[in-house]
Amino acid sequence: MNIYHITLVSVSIDDVDAGTEIEQIIQDKAKAIQQIEIAQQEKARQDVINETNRIKAEIDAEIALIKSQSDFVVAEKQAEAQAVLNAAAVNAIQTMYDLQFETPAEKLEFETNGTGGYLTIQEVSTIVIKQLYYDVWDGKLPTVITDGSGIIIQP
């Protein structure tokens, strides 16, 4: 038996016909791989959208919580300020009312109608409330004044 040794220097195959069935199988497999890749990319895109929406919802919830806490703190501070103001007014009224009985009438700096004497608690309240009004007044005069006959607009 003789063995021949053949050495190929170059080989070129121009067309190999595997048959229509095998070519269809190869095309179907390539399409399936493409569809799998498209589905994976679509899933990754949807995951990013879902995560973005979740983070946005968390941020919106935190903003709403901070805003509600802020509104609560502002309301609480306003209530505290009003309570202090009310306590100061009540204390001033009581102090002025009591002081007039401890101080001789000629030393009092306030009187009801120029006749001297003691003030009632209502009169003291009126004085204190007017003083509180002037203490918080911003110095601006009203632009609209009303009376019983109609509206008068100040220039």
Side-chain angles (χ1 to χ4, degrees):
M1 174 166 170
N2 291 335
I3 300 178
Y4 299 101
H5 295 283
I6 299 175
T7 303
L8 297 174
V9 176
S10 173
V11 175
S12 176
I13 302 172
D14 291 334
D15 184 21
V16 176
D17 187 10
T20 56
E21 289 180 14
I22 294 176
E23 287 180 4
Q24 187 62 40
I25 290 171
I26 293 170
Q27 286 179 357
D28 290 346
K29 183 176 180 183
K31 285 181 183 177
I33 291 171
Q34 277 183 330
Q35 289 175 347
I36 289 171
E37 289 175 357
I38 290 171
Q40 289 172 341
Q41 289 176 355
E42 181 61 29
K43 184 183 180 310
R45 186 180 77 77
Q46 191 61 43
D47 288 346
V48 168
I49 290 172
N50 291 343
E51 184 66 14
T52 303
N53 290 341
R54 185 189 65 77
I55 291 171
K56 184 180 181 305
E58 283 180 10
I59 290 171
D60 289 346
E62 287 179 24
I63 289 171
L65 178 63
I66 289 169
K67 185 178 180 332
S68 69
Q69 288 173 345
S70 173
D71 291 346
F72 176 74
V73 168
V74 167
E76 188 176 55
K77 294 300 180 188
Q78 286 175 340
E80 287 175 10
Q82 188 62 44
V84 168
L85 182 61
N86 292 346
V90 169
N91 188 30
I93 291 168
Q94 190 63 47
T95 301
M96 283 181 68
Y97 182 73
D98 291 342
L99 188 63
Q100 68 182 345
F101 298 114
E102 296 172 7
T103 306
E106 62 273 1
K107 291 186 178 178
L108 293 177
E109 295 181 14
F110 51 86
E111 30 181 80
T112 54
N113 55 13
T115 61
Y118 295 111
L119 298 173
T120 65
I121 196 77
Q122 289 81 11
E123 292 167 331
V124 172
S125 299
T126 302
I127 292 169
V128 171
I129 290 171
K130 281 182 184 178
Q131 185 59 47
L132 287 172
Y133 173 79
Y134 292 125
D135 288 346
V136 298
W137 183 44
D138 62 0
K140 295 179 183 174
L141 293 173
T143 56
V144 177
I145 300 174
T146 61
D147 63 4
S149 64
I151 297 177
I152 303 168
I153 299 176
Q154 295 247 345

